Short mmCIF file of all heavy atoms in Angstrom, two decimals:
data_model
loop_
_atom_site.label_atom_id
_atom_site.label_comp_id
_atom_site.label_asym_id
_atom_site.label_seq_id
_atom_site.Cartn_x
_atom_site.Cartn_y
_atom_site.Cartn_z
N ASP A 106 -10.29 -15.71 -1.90
CA ASP A 106 -11.39 -15.47 -0.97
C ASP A 106 -11.59 -14.01 -0.60
O ASP A 106 -12.68 -13.62 -0.21
CB ASP A 106 -11.17 -16.27 0.32
CG ASP A 106 -11.06 -17.76 0.05
OD1 ASP A 106 -11.71 -18.23 -0.91
OD2 ASP A 106 -10.32 -18.43 0.78
N GLY A 107 -10.54 -13.21 -0.66
CA GLY A 107 -10.67 -11.82 -0.25
C GLY A 107 -9.33 -11.10 -0.21
O GLY A 107 -8.34 -11.57 -0.75
N VAL A 108 -9.34 -9.98 0.47
CA VAL A 108 -8.17 -9.13 0.61
C VAL A 108 -7.79 -9.07 2.08
O VAL A 108 -8.65 -8.93 2.94
CB VAL A 108 -8.45 -7.71 0.07
CG1 VAL A 108 -7.28 -6.78 0.30
CG2 VAL A 108 -8.81 -7.75 -1.40
N LYS A 109 -6.50 -9.17 2.33
CA LYS A 109 -6.00 -9.07 3.70
C LYS A 109 -5.05 -7.88 3.76
O LYS A 109 -4.04 -7.85 3.07
CB LYS A 109 -5.27 -10.36 4.10
CG LYS A 109 -4.78 -10.35 5.52
CD LYS A 109 -4.14 -11.67 5.88
CE LYS A 109 -3.70 -11.66 7.32
NZ LYS A 109 -3.06 -12.93 7.70
N ILE A 110 -5.41 -6.88 4.58
CA ILE A 110 -4.57 -5.69 4.77
C ILE A 110 -4.08 -5.73 6.20
O ILE A 110 -4.88 -5.63 7.14
CB ILE A 110 -5.35 -4.40 4.50
CG1 ILE A 110 -5.85 -4.38 3.06
CG2 ILE A 110 -4.48 -3.18 4.77
CD1 ILE A 110 -6.74 -3.23 2.72
N GLY A 111 -2.77 -5.85 6.36
CA GLY A 111 -2.22 -6.01 7.70
C GLY A 111 -2.68 -7.34 8.26
O GLY A 111 -2.37 -8.40 7.74
N LYS A 112 -3.46 -7.30 9.34
CA LYS A 112 -4.00 -8.53 9.95
C LYS A 112 -5.50 -8.68 9.75
O LYS A 112 -6.10 -9.62 10.24
CB LYS A 112 -3.69 -8.53 11.45
CG LYS A 112 -2.22 -8.62 11.75
CD LYS A 112 -1.98 -8.64 13.23
CE LYS A 112 -0.50 -8.74 13.52
NZ LYS A 112 -0.23 -8.79 14.95
N ILE A 113 -6.13 -7.76 9.04
CA ILE A 113 -7.58 -7.75 8.88
C ILE A 113 -7.96 -8.34 7.52
O ILE A 113 -7.45 -7.92 6.49
CB ILE A 113 -8.14 -6.33 9.03
CG1 ILE A 113 -7.75 -5.74 10.38
CG2 ILE A 113 -9.65 -6.33 8.86
CD1 ILE A 113 -8.08 -4.28 10.52
N ASP A 114 -8.88 -9.29 7.54
CA ASP A 114 -9.39 -9.92 6.32
C ASP A 114 -10.68 -9.25 5.87
O ASP A 114 -11.56 -8.95 6.68
CB ASP A 114 -9.68 -11.41 6.55
CG ASP A 114 -8.41 -12.23 6.65
OD1 ASP A 114 -7.45 -11.92 5.93
OD2 ASP A 114 -8.40 -13.18 7.46
N TYR A 115 -10.79 -9.05 4.55
CA TYR A 115 -12.00 -8.51 3.94
C TYR A 115 -12.43 -9.50 2.85
O TYR A 115 -11.92 -9.46 1.73
CB TYR A 115 -11.74 -7.13 3.34
CG TYR A 115 -11.30 -6.10 4.34
CD1 TYR A 115 -9.95 -5.79 4.50
CD2 TYR A 115 -12.22 -5.45 5.14
CE1 TYR A 115 -9.55 -4.84 5.43
CE2 TYR A 115 -11.82 -4.51 6.08
CZ TYR A 115 -10.47 -4.22 6.21
OH TYR A 115 -10.07 -3.28 7.13
N PRO A 116 -13.37 -10.42 3.15
CA PRO A 116 -13.79 -11.41 2.15
C PRO A 116 -14.60 -10.77 1.02
O PRO A 116 -15.33 -9.80 1.22
CB PRO A 116 -14.64 -12.40 2.94
CG PRO A 116 -14.96 -11.74 4.22
CD PRO A 116 -14.00 -10.62 4.44
N PHE A 117 -14.46 -11.34 -0.17
CA PHE A 117 -15.18 -10.84 -1.34
C PHE A 117 -16.69 -11.00 -1.18
O PHE A 117 -17.45 -10.24 -1.76
CB PHE A 117 -14.72 -11.56 -2.61
CG PHE A 117 -13.32 -11.20 -3.03
CD1 PHE A 117 -12.45 -12.18 -3.45
CD2 PHE A 117 -12.88 -9.90 -3.03
CE1 PHE A 117 -11.17 -11.87 -3.86
CE2 PHE A 117 -11.60 -9.57 -3.43
CZ PHE A 117 -10.74 -10.55 -3.84
N SER A 118 -17.13 -11.95 -0.38
CA SER A 118 -18.56 -12.18 -0.21
C SER A 118 -19.22 -11.07 0.63
O SER A 118 -20.41 -10.83 0.50
CB SER A 118 -18.80 -13.53 0.46
OG SER A 118 -18.16 -13.57 1.73
N ASP A 119 -18.46 -10.38 1.46
CA ASP A 119 -19.03 -9.36 2.35
C ASP A 119 -18.72 -7.92 1.93
O ASP A 119 -19.37 -6.99 2.41
CB ASP A 119 -18.51 -9.55 3.78
CG ASP A 119 -18.91 -10.88 4.37
OD1 ASP A 119 -19.92 -11.46 3.91
OD2 ASP A 119 -18.22 -11.36 5.29
#
Side-chain angles (χ1 to χ4, degrees):
D106 301 328
V108 176
K109 183 177 182 180
I110 299 174
K112 294 181 180 181
I113 303 171
D114 287 324
Y115 299 99
F117 290 137
S118 59
D119 298 337

